[in-house]
Amino acid sequence: MAVVAVLSVIAAGCGASDVEVPVPRPPASAVSLCRAFHDRLPQRLHGLKRRSTSPRSALVTAWGSPAVVVRCGVVRPAGLHPTSELAVINGINWLAVPPDHPVTFTAVGRHAYVEVTVPPKYTPPGDVLNELTAAIKSTIPANSDATL
């Protein structure tokens, strides 16, 4: 269901207006981590300029058209299981949905989940995810008990 919501965000984000993105509601323990993560995000991602989002939130950031959207503090992905196949990019574990042609990637195994929607136009999506790893690593610690 989250993928459908995020895909509608991509469609809504094709113009010059604000990108409409649902704001996550993380637990209080993740809010400060997500704000610090937001502050570390680049003005340009994959060569794309940052865009305004609606509603405005330090938990959501977007770049380009169609928009690459990052949401910090999302709920644990429904498809995440101990046996889930994860992509590891620069030390960050990512769950890709759908697995065969991923559009939504969620960084897992950290104190806050970070969801990234990468429209198919931007290939390979791993390049976009790689540009986010430094901000994730510096602000959202890995779970010390190796939980996803």
Side-chain angles (χ1 to χ4, degrees):
M1 186 61 88
V3 173
V4 173
V6 173
L7 289 176
S8 65
V9 167
I10 293 172
C14 290
S17 62
D18 290 355
V19 181
E20 292 187 32
V21 183
V23 176
R25 296 176 188 225
S29 61
V31 172
S32 62
L33 297 174
C34 288
R35 286 188 176 142
F37 169 68
H38 179 271
D39 291 345
R40 291 286 313 248
L41 291 173
Q43 288 300 310
R44 287 190 168 269
L45 179 72
H46 201 62
L48 306 168
K49 290 174 27 177
R50 195 181 270 204
R51 293 185 57 190
S52 298
T53 59
S54 178
R56 295 190 193 281
S57 170
L59 305 177
V60 178
T61 309
W63 296 263
S65 181
V68 172
V69 176
V70 173
R71 298 184 329 133
C72 185
V74 297
V75 297
R76 178 187 170 99
L80 181 61
H81 307 287
T83 58
S84 294
E85 188 173 330
L86 303 175
V88 180
I89 299 174
N90 201 14
I92 303 289
N93 294 315
W94 296 94
L95 176 69
V97 177
D100 53 345
H101 294 298
V103 173
T104 302
F105 300 84
T106 306
V108 300
R110 309 199 79 77
H111 286 270
Y113 294 105
V114 177
E115 178 187 88
V116 182
T117 303
V118 183
K121 173 181 179 178
Y122 310 116
T123 58
D127 290 351
V128 174
L129 301 178
N130 189 50
E131 290 182 42
L132 298 170
T133 59
I136 293 172
K137 286 180 175 181
S138 67
T139 58
I140 304 174
N143 292 335
S144 59
D145 60 2
T147 57
L148 297 174

